Amino acid sequence: MWFGLLGTLQVRVDHGEINVSAAKQRVLLAALLLTPGQAVSAARLSELVWDGFPPRQAAVTLRSYVKRLRQVLGPPGAARIITGSIGYQINATAAEIDIAQFDDQVRMGIGAAQSGDWQRAQGLLDSALALWRGSPLADIPCQALLLAEGPHLEEQRLQALQWRIEASLQLGQHHKVTPQLQALTAAHPLREPFHGQLMMALYRSGRQAEALAAYRTARRIIVTELGLDPGPELQLLHQRILAGDCEPVAAASHAVGQPAWSELALAAPAVGDQVGPAGYAAQVPVPRQLPAPVAGFTGRDAELAALTSQLGPRPEPNAPGPALVISAIGGTAGVGKTALAVQWAHRVAGRFPDGQLYVNLRGYDPDEPVSAADALARFLRDLGVPGPDIPAVAEERAARYRSLLAGRRVLVLLDNAGSAEQVRPLLPATAGCTAIVTSRDALAGLVATDGVRRLDLDVLPQSDAIALLRSLTASRVDEDQDAVRALADLCARLPLALRIAAEQAVARPETSLRELAAELAADRLDGLDAGEDRADVRAVFSWSVRQLPDDVAKAFALIGLHPGLDLDVHAASALTGATAARAARALARLHRASLIQAAGSGRYGMHD
């Protein structure tokens, strides 16, 4: 199936087009398609379907609308709408939704441009822009959706246009884009990059006088409307055109893939922009720092939906209030905290057009942890502040960082945090930005004083553990279902352990899965080692223990001798020889570090 939102709502199947004629069904379908594969709560859908004024029996009526929508979509589409405990979701891939296709092609087009492949960039951006059939969500009668998504999508379209025109200018097609730029500067008179591109196109066409006249027009509009002169980039371009030396400068002063004029796509003007010796602004690309999603990511649908539901409607960047800090994702070593955070961050990256910042704080690595001051220095450089201008004092760095994020939509992923003190200075302070934190520690201080919401991760359900093994070993999982279940249980259904076991199954095709399971059963910690520290379960768990005070680490070793499934503070006191109060503090510390797990009121158990 194909779903179109960049224009009127469009649903296509092999035999033709499906007409969704009922207005509320169109709103319902559009709301689900904007977050495919993720549950949308019934309360949120009711707000959208009735545009902010749901009736008293909205939940009952909503079920009726869902049923009718399934009937309209027919068998191919009806099965895609899933009813869950949270609400409803539609299962559709990125290749089936025009907005997702547009995002993917624009991202690839920008990547091609930044690597200097302007021909490929032009083709990709042309394909992306061809997906637009009119105003997005044109026939969706819901002001909340239109206000939340319409301006953002239109901004993405204009920035894709800037990049595509830049590609044409770089390919020498200035004659081709001049008429389009004249129309764009008339339609968007305050958008300086289009004025700059028009001046460049006219100049390269041998129309220097018209290029200068285009500047005078732009200046008159900006002064009249805003009471300000044009920005320094436009003024410097005007000076170069006056001097007749624009072309050589453009060729000499820009790195491969860096636009001669336009703002880098999806970027807000950086506070740290510097004017280079050639007179152009050396603009900083918008940071896109997320690590690649982990291969074969499996399961965690409920956790992904929970993260997205906490995100809520897109706030205005200058709206009052603190940034939304979604979760300190907790859980023991190897449970997949980083994989989940990165997977979710990629899903929602389009909602943060001003960039995504990432840092591994190494709070539980064998290496020295990254201090908040060092992380701030790196973020400031990434946001365009030259090295000499970065403040020496950590508090001043934090203040500069918050100033740079104000008015922007930026996602900040703080991975592998060791303490609340390491995280707190890195949290944005204004609406529009969102932070997500992963840590083996509970980070209770952030939850108590900074409004952070926790999301604790458990091991995978057995079905998801087996699905992960299947995705990583192809057909080997089907050799022996009993052996596969045994492997999943021997790995305690921890994603890291499952991935190591899968690697061994692929690397040793001559060894049956039953034999692999028997080897693991003999000595699991020795068996779950892929040859490097970060792929060695014993090493990864040891890093957690190294962070403990000596008395708590000793308590951890001693309570492992307890023969039962769980123990209380009195058993811990007897094993460690400590007072009940000290034993209670040790248990609490181990629990915060995710090295033991709660097993009922006042009782704790070891991980498998």
Side-chain angles (χ1 to χ4, degrees):
M1 297 185 76
W2 171 259
F3 301 96
L5 296 169
L6 297 175
T8 57
L9 181 67
Q10 190 177 68
V11 182
R12 294 204 310 261
V13 289
D14 292 339
H15 58 270
E17 191 165 329
I18 294 174
N19 179 30
V20 183
S21 58
K24 285 185 168 52
Q25 290 176 21
R26 291 199 302 273
V27 176
L28 174 61
L29 180 56
L32 294 173
L33 288 171
L34 286 167
T35 55
Q38 300 174 31
V40 184
S41 69
R44 175 63 179 157
L45 287 173
S46 296
E47 283 289 321
L48 296 174
V49 168
W50 282 277
D51 206 4
F53 299 96
R56 184 169 297 179
Q57 299 298 320
V60 176
T61 311
L62 183 65
R63 288 196 291 271
S64 173
Y65 286 154
V66 171
K67 178 181 178 181
R68 293 177 199 169
L69 179 59
R70 286 177 173 140
Q71 292 170 346
V72 169
L73 295 179
R80 292 169 177 261
I81 300 178
I82 309 300
T83 303
S85 57
I86 296 177
Y88 301 92
Q89 74 180 53
I90 189 165
N91 291 333
T93 66
E96 295 176 308
I97 304 173
D98 59 0
I99 289 179
Q101 279 282 288
F102 174 75
D103 285 342
D104 288 346
Q105 289 176 8
V106 169
R107 185 167 58 251
M108 290 188 292
I110 292 170
Q114 290 175 334
S115 64
D117 190 348
W118 292 105
Q119 195 75 49
R120 181 166 180 266
Q122 185 183 59
L124 286 164
L125 292 164
D126 274 336
S127 296
L129 290 164
L131 293 168
W132 284 70
R133 297 170 287 106
S135 298
L137 309 173
D139 61 345
I140 305 300
C142 175
Q143 282 297 111
L145 274 184
L146 293 175
L147 290 174
E149 302 295 335
H152 165 66
L153 291 169
E154 179 62 18
E155 178 64 18
Q156 285 188 307
R157 184 185 74 86
L158 291 174
Q159 290 172 337
L161 263 174
Q162 286 174 214
W163 268 105
R164 202 263 292 149
I165 291 170
E166 193 64 54
S168 298
L169 290 173
Q170 294 282 352
L171 294 169
Q173 299 168 359
H174 32 270
H175 295 288
K176 175 182 174 182
V177 297
T178 298
Q180 183 182 20
L181 282 166
Q182 289 169 330
L184 285 168
T185 53
H188 306 280
L190 298 179
R191 201 173 187 92
E192 291 191 26
F194 286 145
H195 289 291
Q197 288 179 321
L198 176 59
M199 291 162 61
M200 187 72 77
L202 290 168
Y203 178 84
R204 291 182 178 177
S205 300
R207 299 158 66 178
Q208 183 179 10
E210 291 179 68
L212 295 171
Y215 174 77
R216 290 193 296 272
T217 299
R219 184 181 184 281
R220 184 179 65 251
I221 292 170
I222 294 167
V223 169
T224 301
E225 294 293 327
L226 303 178
L228 301 170
D229 280 327
E233 296 90 350
L234 208 61
Q235 294 185 47
L236 289 166
L237 179 60
H238 174 238
Q239 294 168 15
R240 290 292 178 181
I241 292 174
L242 272 172
D245 64 351
C246 184
E247 202 72 43
V249 170
S253 66
H254 291 277
V256 172
Q258 183 174 347
W261 160 255
S262 68
E263 289 181 321
L264 291 171
L266 306 181
V271 171
D273 286 352
Q274 298 295 300
V275 176
Y280 281 84
Q283 293 177 317
V284 180
V286 110
R288 305 286 186 196
Q289 299 177 351
L290 295 178
V294 66
F297 184 89
T298 302
R300 303 298 193 198
D301 293 336
E303 290 86 351
L304 289 166
L307 288 172
T308 302
S309 68
Q310 291 181 28
L311 191 58
R314 181 182 290 108
E316 290 302 317
N318 291 310
L324 174 62
V325 182
I326 286 187
S327 265
I329 298 179
T332 190
V335 81
K337 299 179 293 296
T338 297
L340 172 66
V342 171
Q343 183 78 11
W344 178 81
H346 276 283
R347 288 193 180 189
V348 301
R351 297 185 66 168
F352 301 94
D354 296 319
Q356 301 89 46
L357 296 169
Y358 170 85
V359 63
N360 179 1
L361 294 170
R362 298 204 298 262
Y364 286 87
D365 280 17
D367 306 319
E368 187 72 19
V370 176
S371 68
D374 288 344
L376 284 167
R378 173 182 155 180
F379 281 170
L380 289 174
R381 285 193 297 270
D382 296 337
L383 292 168
V385 180
D389 292 343
I390 294 175
V393 180
E395 288 80 2
E396 294 177 4
R397 291 180 182 180
R400 185 74 179 274
Y401 167 69
R402 291 192 295 269
S403 297
L404 287 172
L405 292 186
R408 298 189 185 189
R409 292 193 179 103
V410 175
L411 177 64
V412 182
L413 174 47
L414 306 172
D415 191 20
N416 196 14
S419 67
E421 291 73 20
Q422 194 183 22
V423 169
R424 193 171 282 115
L426 304 173
L427 298 178
T430 54
C433 294
T434 295
I436 186 166
V437 186
T438 75
S439 178
R440 300 183 195 180
D441 190 86
L443 299 180
L446 289 182
V447 176
T449 65
D450 295 86
V452 170
R453 308 175 197 174
R454 283 192 56 76
L455 177 67
D456 291 313
L457 292 190
D458 201 349
V459 297
L460 291 171
Q462 189 178 67
S463 59
D464 286 344
I466 292 172
L468 178 57
L469 288 172
R470 176 174 285 106
S471 72
L472 298 174
T473 63
S475 59
R476 287 221 65 184
V477 168
D478 299 322
E479 293 175 10
D480 188 335
Q481 291 294 322
D482 290 338
V484 170
R485 283 190 287 271
L487 272 176
D489 289 339
L490 287 165
C491 292
R493 305 198 305 279
L494 275 174
L496 174 62
L498 290 164
R499 288 178 177 279
I500 296 171
E503 186 278 331
Q504 293 178 356
V506 172
R508 299 166 59 189
E510 75 286 351
T511 305
S512 72
L513 296 182
R514 192 171 293 272
E515 289 171 323
L516 283 175
E519 290 177 13
L520 271 187
D523 192 334
R524 284 192 282 176
L525 286 180
D526 280 343
L528 292 171
D529 178 4
E532 59 177 88
D533 282 351
R534 284 174 172 77
D536 176 353
V537 169
R538 186 192 301 275
V540 169
F541 273 92
S542 75
W543 299 340
S544 289
V545 179
R546 288 179 197 173
Q547 306 297 318
L548 300 173
D550 290 344
D551 60 330
V552 178
K554 181 181 178 182
F556 178 61
L558 290 171
I559 64 175
L561 300 174
H562 189 268
L565 294 175
D566 52 50
L567 79 169
D568 62 10
V569 66
H570 303 293
S573 175
L575 284 165
T576 62
T579 64
R582 292 181 65 86
R585 284 195 293 271
L587 289 172
R589 178 65 183 267
L590 291 171
H591 184 241
R592 285 201 308 272
S594 299
L595 283 167
I596 60 177
Q597 55 197 11
S601 179
R603 302 191 68 82
Y604 298 92
M606 306 294 285
H607 293 293
D608 188 356

